[in-house]
Amino acid sequence: MRLADDRRGRVPFALVAVLLLVGSAAVVATDRPRRYETPAVDRVVGETVAAAQTALRQAAVVAARESAANPVVAPVDTPYGRVVNDSSPFRDALRIRASLLARSYLSRIGERRGDVVSSVSLPPVRSPADLRAAKRRVSVERAGPNGTALRVRFRGVTVRAKRDGRVIAERRVSPVVTVASPALALHDRVAAFERALNAGPLDGGLGRRLAIQLYALAWARGYAQYAGAPVENVVANRHVEVATNAGALAVQRETLGATASGGERAVLGAAARVAATDLLAASGVDARWTDAVVAAVRGASSSTGAHRPVRSDGHEGPEPVSVRVNHTADRALVDVLGTREASRLSTAVDRGYSVDARLFVRARRTGGSTTGATGATGTTAIDPGGNWTLVDRRRRTSRRVLPGGGSAPVRVPTGWRAFERYDRRVVVTHTTVSRWRRGAARRVTRRTRTERHAVSIALAGRHSPDSRAPRVGVAGVYERGGPLDGPNLAGVPAAARRRLVASRGGPDALARRAVRGTLDREPVRLAGARPDGLRAWLRRDLVALHRRVRSTAVALPRGAVATYGVNPSTRLAARLRVRRAELLDAPTRYAGVADKVRVAVRRAYLDRVLARLDERAAARDRTRGNLNEALDGTGIGSLDRLRAVRAVGGGPSPVERPPPDRGLGGPLALAVETEPAYLRLDPVARERLGVAGRGTVTPLDARNTNLFTLPYGDAADAVTRGLLGSERVSLRTAALILRAERRATGGRGDRDLRRAVSASTDRVRDRMATVLAAAGVGVTDETPGAVVDRGLSRWRTPAGRALAVTNGSAIRAVVAVTPGVSDAERAALAARLEVAVSETLASPSARPPETAVAGSVGVVRAAVREGATRAAEYGVNRTLSRFNRTFDAIFVGLPVAPVPGYWYATLNVWDVHARGTYERLVVRSRRGASGVAYVRDGGLVRLDVDGDGARERLGRAERVAFETRVPVAVVVPPGRRGVGDLDGDADERSPGYG
């Protein structure tokens, strides 16, 4: 029996037979060689092969259509299911279907020419091993332009010719058929769609699109909140729902080449509802930021365009932050000033007005002679010879100093200056007298040896040997003049003469000691007289330098600073090192000793600033490590990943280029259907989706966690404690909560929290009084403590006073009312107070315990929720005033590198986790007569493999599901309320999450 050929691509059978014989047919010998006995055998075999080709083509078309309708995506653990390979289950199932259909179709083929009958067959399948062999006999691949067709190769097809029941010819062929079915292409596209849905923000796909949309929304709403709009939740799950669906549609368009019917309409409708919800809370507020929200929401469904973070003033991108040396300069100033008895300034003065004085000596022998005589014989020998016995011998040396010296004066080393020189001649006479005895006879012998020495002595001094100032020479160093018309070191040469010459007997005595080798040449340290007003002059100069250094700034991207992508202290240190020579202001020659001391003090100050900046940079690196550890604990990863995602979120949306759909057999003419078309967070009845089963499903689950919400609440607990390392809160945080509670409750506040805040503030107040006492304040009737109290008197409440001491305004107020302090001294006093307050605020004694704050946090949260509810229900204008009073009292977010009075920026992070499932996804192609539909509905795929009438389980058509996670970081300038969720729900979960 002959199967009908494919009407759409009819090929002459003779030509097909020739092609098969020449190209793709393999002839395999049987057990015994056979020869065709007549031309009729050749003809019948050729016609059979051609018929087989047609049957195999039909088998490939049907196998592709059925495999697409029931795709095996995940094999099951059954004997036949284990034949399907985990790495390519769809292809394996397609090969199995093609092999089984090919055997069925081939079994119907037969040709007869006279008494010659032909047949074609494939081995039967009766076991899993047979099925594995059948699968291996078939290979599939994409073919044609753009890979939208299907090429199938069948191996081991056996053609036999018989006469009278005896096999007279046998041939094995491996036909290759190419059909226009896009089944394999559709599967690959859906697989690409699923991979893109599960891609993270750094991998493209849904993750990247979700990052882009959420960053646009979060920045717009975050800056709106910072600017004063009553934004309760910066990132809510309603935003995640819209952005996820918009991103999924974009991924459909990019990978499948079409989008689900009704999907874009549903996204735009949901976006409008979300925008309306967001805008309701902003009624009566400057609406510039709302345009950004609407644009971001609408842009979520657009396939083009770029979304960058939006500032509250409507411009793209956050402005850079100008980071200054600020507090580090204050600490360095305090380091240098110290106390009057012990400070780097005093050390610089001592070194600048010090001179090392010493004697340099050159003594050399210029000649000598020896004479001798005996008392009896007159001989010159000291030993009389014979049997004389020495009775006594005495030696005597005399040194006579004469004026004048040699022609080679002593050399004074570089860096030393000779005050005076002394040249002397020293004559040294050595006399030896010996007494001898021989019996009763006595004899005396005498010998005289004379040495002549030339001695050159220099009294020299070396100015400020330990000074840190560059050695460029000092004009008139030993003469009066220069800054302050000071004495410089004019009196040092005379002091050196008294100390090293006169007190040792004068030049002659020094010459004698030099010849004897007993002259003390060690230097002595002498101090010059200091001019009146020197310290005040140096302090004024130092304060002026301090102002310049304090204002030194570098402009850095605020986001990079807030996410620790750049170390501002390192950049500031590099900037100061470049400007060091300019700031040091060292002349080519000092105008006087005071000028050199001025430069030395400046150098000591700059060294301390750089050392402090290096310490600050190291501390920031440690904080970065702590924050990395905390972020890793939340599952976000690291700061590097956060910055990378932030860069993706601030970049342009990817351009979607759907894959080409034209190929063999014409265009694919794709249509996509999903159930549901729009993934909602709320439960949906299965019957509404038109899928099997009862009950409800939640197509989309979402969770977004705000890391730094109301202080020490929800998910922020672990992060903040990891950073602070204690069970205490900052005084600023406690004061903000106290103030918020008072406003929320109409003036009432928790008594325990009020006492804790007041106690911590008192510790700071006492430390400020100590600083004033050390500065000499209190010599009048007013004590240092009274001065501090007078400065703090403008703040009436415990919360107000606490905030004043933490933001630096209390320091300025106290300095302003301190009596008897000059303008220059006020700057130094302010720096001392800044350092003292900073150190005190960092100590546990000035940090209220968490237990004192916990109860008030709940009260504030309740008040915020109540205000938000009333704003939504009764209109914003009626409740906005009270709502904002409570709202403004709250600070959320993580201040980056906070110090009294300033910080770099405020950072907050949302960890957004979305996962969804399409209960049913169908991708249809109208190519061909009946087209192809690829269906993923989670159904079980069964197939009668062994022909027993029962269908065996091969696998499942798993639903298209996805899961992605995106961290969203928002950075706002310092101050105000910060940025973050204020409704107390830092961990927002949809109904189906978990």
Side-chain angles (χ1 to χ4, degrees), residues 834-856:
E834 287 272 7
V835 173
V837 169
S838 176
E839 291 174 349
T840 306
L841 290 174
S843 66
S845 64
R847 298 173 64 84
E850 281 189 11
T851 54
V853 177
S856 298

Side-chain angles (χ1 to χ4, degrees), residues 181-195:
S181 173
L184 194 54
L186 294 182
H187 169 75
D188 288 346
R189 289 193 183 192
V190 172
F193 172 54
E194 195 165 17
R195 285 194 302 272

Side-chain angles (χ1 to χ4, degrees), residues 26 59 439 495 552 586 628 663 695 744 806 809 813 861 891:
T552 299
N628 261 329
T806 60
S809 55
R861 284 178 177 162
F891 180 85

Side-chain angles (χ1 to χ4, degrees), residues 92 101 150 360 368 395 410 433 474 706 724 788 992:
D92 274 13
L101 285 171
L150 177 65
F360 292 93
R395 296 182 177 87
V410 64
V433 177
V474 181
N706 186 197
L724 301 177
V788 175

Side-chain angles (χ1 to χ4, degrees), residues 461-656:
R462 182 174 60 178
H463 175 215
S464 57
D466 299 327
S467 174
R468 294 179 178 271
R471 296 185 177 278
V472 295
V474 181
V477 62
Y478 296 106
E479 302 171 1
R480 188 175 187 88
L484 305 175
D485 192 26
N488 289 324
L489 301 175
V492 169
R497 187 183 312 112
R498 291 192 299 270
R499 178 79 175 271
L500 297 180
V501 179
S503 66
R504 299 181 182 181
D508 291 353
L510 298 179
R512 292 189 184 95
R513 292 193 186 103
V515 171
R516 292 178 61 183
T518 60
L519 181 61
D520 182 4
R521 305 184 188 187
E522 290 298 317
V524 295
R525 181 67 55 88
L526 302 174
R530 291 88 183 273
D532 295 336
L534 173 64
R535 296 179 68 89
W537 179 72
L538 292 173
R539 288 167 71 92
R540 287 194 299 272
D541 181 78
L542 181 58
V543 168
L545 175 63
H546 163 257
R547 281 196 295 268
R548 294 181 62 190
V549 171
R550 197 179 198 279
S551 62
T552 299
V554 290
L556 300 171
R558 193 182 301 277
V561 172
T563 57
Y564 290 78
V566 63
N567 195 321
S569 298
T570 300
R571 296 290 185 89
L572 286 169
R575 173 75 172 148
L576 286 179
R577 287 184 171 101
V578 170
R579 298 183 58 205
R580 184 183 177 89
E582 169 199 344
L583 295 170
L584 194 60
D585 192 27
T588 56
R589 186 173 177 82
Y590 297 116
V593 176
D595 193 24
K596 184 173 184 177
V597 173
R598 176 188 66 87
V599 174
V601 171
R602 282 177 166 246
R603 179 171 181 174
Y605 174 72
L606 292 175
D607 287 346
R608 286 309 301 159
V609 171
L610 292 172
R612 287 287 186 181
L613 284 174
D614 291 341
E615 292 171 4
R616 200 164 102 181
R620 182 175 171 85
D621 287 340
R622 289 192 296 271
T623 302
R624 181 181 185 274
N626 290 339
L627 187 54
N628 261 329
E629 184 178 347
L631 291 177
D632 185 62
T634 64
I636 288 178
S638 65
L639 285 163
D640 291 339
R641 183 173 183 273
L642 190 66
R643 281 191 301 276
V645 175
R646 186 172 172 273
V648 167
S653 297
V655 178
E656 297 152 14

Side-chain angles (χ1 to χ4, degrees), residues 217-228 234 309-312 317-321 557-563 646 891-896 903-910 969-980:
L217 282 163
W219 278 86
R221 291 174 59 78
Y223 265 83
Q225 184 189 77
Y226 174 80
V234 174
V310 183
R311 285 207 316 242
S312 57
E319 71 278 9
V321 59
R558 193 182 301 277
V561 172
T563 57
R646 186 172 172 273
F891 180 85
V892 287
L894 178 68
V896 179
W903 60 82
Y904 296 144
T906 301
L907 165 72
N908 218 325
V909 180
W910 284 261
V970 176
V971 178
V972 297
R976 297 191 182 180
R977 61 182 59 167
V979 62

